[in-house]
């Protein structure tokens, strides 16, 4: 979720193998679709945890896009793409925090069934992408990082599902709010780290 995902997740080395490239395109599409699904469902169901989980899909989709389309270019382009990703994630992260705090003041209780169902779908998406990538890894060096970020993403998805169950039983919005705050904060720290290293790289290029 933080740097294990949005800093080093997905391949950061040039992708030559056509089969692996196809897998990365598929991973990009799945992550982008899950981002949209979680934003729409999160807004409709009033679940801030789903919105915060969407941040992770956004960051991962950006990583796959960078691996596929930017990495063949120069280091400067990669740093610029990372900077754009960091800024977008930071902006979206701040929005999620604002929505969470204003929802907290209104005391809106999210719709637990939608929250749980989309959380499970997100879990399936992350596990599916992890299995797909794992089978297509040629070198060994990246296996561990893929495993670690998939695991952390799965932990986030499980937290959303558990929060949905807790909301269902308690009728309280607190489980949703707590998970949202933790996940949005992790995503924002990740974005800050990306921004720092990308701007450092750009400075070093001058
Ligand atoms: Zn991730």
């Amino acid at each position: 979720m933080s740097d294990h995902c949005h800093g080093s997740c997905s391949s950061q080395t040039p992708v030559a193998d056509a089969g692996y490239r196809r897998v990365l395109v598929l991973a990009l599409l799945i992550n982008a679709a899950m981002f949209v699904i979680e934003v729409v469902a999160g807004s409709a169901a009033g679940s801030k945890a789903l919105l915060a989980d969407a941040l992770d899909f956004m960051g991962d989709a950006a990583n796959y896009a960078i691996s596929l389309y930017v990495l063949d270019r120069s280091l400067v382009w990669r740093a610029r793409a990372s900077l754009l990703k960091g800024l977008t994630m930071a902006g979206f992260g701040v929005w999620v925090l604002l929505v969470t705090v204003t929802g907290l003041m209104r005391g809106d209780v999210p719709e637990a069934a939608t929250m749980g169902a989309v959380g499970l779908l997100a879990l399936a998406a992350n596990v599916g992408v992890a299995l797909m990538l794992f089978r297509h890894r040629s070198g060994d060096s990246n296996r561990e990082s893929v495993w670690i970020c998939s695991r952390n993403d799965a932990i986030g998805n499980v937290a959303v599902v558990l929060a949905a169950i807790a909301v269902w039983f308690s009728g309280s919005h607190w489980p949703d709010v707590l998970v949202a705050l933790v996940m949005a904060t992790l995503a924002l720290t990740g974005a800050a780290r990306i921004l720092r290293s990308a701007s450092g790289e750009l400075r070093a290029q001058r």
Side-chain angles (χ1 to χ4, degrees), residues 1 4-6 9 31 56-57 59-60 63 126 149-150 152-153:
M1 265 166 35
H4 25 262
C5 242
H6 302 141
C9 199
N31 277 275
D56 186 75
F57 284 114
D60 291 350
N63 278 343
N126 276 320
C149 64
S150 304
N152 287 319
D153 286 355

Side-chain angles (χ1 to χ4, degrees), residues 61-197:
N63 278 343
Y64 293 120
I66 290 174
S67 299
L68 280 162
Y69 302 112
V70 182
L71 216 80
D72 303 342
R73 303 173 186 223
S74 67
L75 205 74
V76 179
W77 272 101
R78 201 183 119 190
R80 283 178 187 154
S82 298
L83 205 62
L84 182 66
K85 180 184 91 174
L87 285 173
T88 315
M89 282 187 65
F92 191 71
V94 168
W95 177 73
V96 171
L97 281 182
L98 285 176
V99 168
T100 305
V101 172
T102 48
L104 184 64
M105 291 188 295
R106 281 202 305 267
D108 305 339
V109 178
E111 199 192 304
T114 308
M115 199 181 152
V118 177
L120 284 175
L121 184 66
L123 181 63
N126 276 320
V127 171
V129 168
L131 289 175
M132 230 165 54
L133 287 174
F134 215 81
R135 266 192 318 147
H136 280 265
R137 283 276 155 188
S138 36
D140 254 27
S141 57
N142 275 321
R143 286 199 178 197
E144 200 185 5
S145 87
V146 167
W147 163 246
I148 289 171
C149 64
S150 304
R151 188 198 59 192
N152 287 319
D153 286 355
I155 290 172
N157 302 141
V158 170
V160 172
V161 174
L162 290 179
I165 294 170
V167 167
W168 177 276
F169 279 109
S170 65
S172 157
H173 62 303
W174 276 108
D176 184 54
V177 167
L178 289 178
V179 169
L181 287 178
V182 170
M183 292 178 87
T185 307
L186 283 174
L188 278 174
T189 7
R193 207 173 294 118
I194 291 161
L195 286 175
R196 251 199 318 277
S197 72

